[in-house]
Amino acid sequence: MKFNEKDLVNIAHGVAQYEGRMEHRAPPSFRDTGFRERYFKLIGNLLFYFRFTEWGTVETKEPAGVLVLENYSVQPEYEETDVSFSFSILFLDEPDKKHVFCCRTDSDVQKWVNALQRASYQHWKEKLSSMQNHIEALREARKSPYMFHSERWRTPRPNPFSLSPVPSPQLPPRRVHSSSSLTPTPPLLPAPPVPPRPRPRRLTPTPSQNNLAKSNEVADDLIKF
C-alpha cells in the first residue's frame, strides 16, 4: 500500500481521537523485536507512532511509522506471562505478524481496545447500514394502520411548555334534591334590641377651680408684660 509521505505527516499532526504513551513490540519479521516506548495517536483508521528524544520529549516532526487499521482484530493479551496490561493487533491477511502493546494500567488497556475496535472503516459502514435499516423499518411501521403509534390511534397530549390557555376542567353536574326529601329549617329568631348609649355628663367647675384659672391667666399676663 502506497501513501504520500507529506499527506501522512499532515494527517499525523491533526487532532487524535485517542492518544497516549505505550510500549510496542513489533512482529518477529521486523528488525527490532523488543519492546520500545512510543507515543501513539489514533486518527481515523490510522495509528501513528512517534519516537522519544534523549530528553524524553516526543519527536513531532514526523511519525516513525503508521498502522492502517483495516481487516484486523484487536483484543486483550492475557497469554503474555512476561508482560502485564497488554493487548495485541492481528491483521487477518498476516496471521503470523502480531503487534503487542503494553500499557500502564488495565483501564488504559480497555480504553485503547474500545477506541481501536471503532476505528476501522468497515465498523462505521456496518453501523451506518444498521441505522439505515432501522429508519426504513420505522417508516414502514408508520404506514401500517394497525400499529399503536399510527396517526389514527395517536391521542394528543398537552404540552407543558405551551403558552396556549389550558381549558378549565369540567365540574360534575350539581345534584338537585326534591322538596319532599328536604327537612324544614326552623325560623330565625329576631335579634335582641340594643340599649341606647348614655350621654356623657358635663361637669361644672367649682369656685376654687375658677379662682385657680384666673390666677394662672394673671400670671401669664405679667410674664408677657
Side-chain angles (χ1 to χ4, degrees):
M1 187 178 294
K2 297 182 180 180
F3 292 96
N4 190 332
E5 295 183 1
K6 293 183 179 180
D7 294 340
L8 283 178
V9 171
N10 294 332
I11 296 174
H13 292 160
V15 180
Q17 282 82 21
Y18 199 75
E19 57 184 322
R21 183 192 302 247
M22 291 189 297
E23 293 185 2
H24 173 228
R25 187 177 67 185
S29 59
F30 286 68
R31 295 180 180 178
D32 193 359
T33 58
F35 279 96
R36 291 291 181 265
E37 191 175 18
R38 298 287 185 262
Y39 191 85
F40 290 86
K41 291 181 66 174
L42 178 62
I43 303 177
N45 63 339
L46 301 177
L47 183 62
F48 296 94
Y49 54 94
F50 301 81
R51 294 189 179 93
F52 287 93
T53 63
E54 298 177 358
W55 297 275
T57 59
V58 182
E59 292 183 356
T60 57
K61 184 177 180 180
E62 62 180 7
V66 59
L67 297 178
V68 181
L69 302 177
E70 291 297 337
N71 195 20
Y72 71 103
S73 65
V74 55
Q75 59 186 356
E77 194 69 24
Y78 300 107
E79 298 179 358
E80 292 289 339
T81 58
D82 55 340
V83 180
S84 58
F85 309 130
S86 60
F87 66 94
S88 62
I89 295 178
L90 181 64
F91 293 93
L92 302 182
D93 54 350
E94 298 177 345
D96 57 336
K97 298 180 180 180
K98 182 170 63 174
H99 297 261
V100 182
F101 303 86
C102 180
C103 302
R104 296 184 177 180
T105 61
D106 186 58
S107 177
D108 295 339
V109 173
Q110 296 298 330
K111 292 178 181 178
W112 271 110
V113 170
N114 294 335
L116 293 173
Q117 288 178 347
R118 300 190 302 265
S120 65
Y121 170 78
Q122 186 66 24
H123 168 78
W124 292 107
K125 184 179 179 180
E126 294 175 357
K127 189 173 183 179
L128 177 61
S129 178
S130 176
M131 293 177 64
Q132 290 176 347
N133 295 335
H134 182 67
I135 293 174
E136 188 65 24
L138 290 178
R139 290 178 178 175
E140 294 295 332
R142 289 179 63 88
K143 296 179 182 179
S144 176
Y146 302 103
M147 296 300 294
F148 178 78
H149 58 271
S150 177
E151 294 292 340
R152 296 176 56 186
W153 305 103
R154 181 177 298 175
T155 56
R157 296 182 179 180
N159 186 6
F161 302 99
S162 177
L163 299 179
S164 59
V166 180
S168 59
Q170 297 182 358
L171 299 178
R174 187 176 180 182
R175 297 181 59 184
V176 180
H177 299 276
S178 61
S179 59
S180 60
S181 62
L182 297 177
T183 57
T185 56
L188 299 177
L189 298 177
V194 180
R197 183 177 298 178
R199 294 183 177 181
R201 295 179 58 186
R202 186 175 180 182
L203 300 177
T204 56
T206 59
S208 60
Q209 292 178 351
N210 291 336
N211 295 334
L212 180 59
K214 290 181 181 181
S215 61
N216 292 336
E217 291 178 359
V218 173
D220 293 338
D221 293 340
L222 292 175
I223 292 172
K224 292 180 181 179
F225 182 77

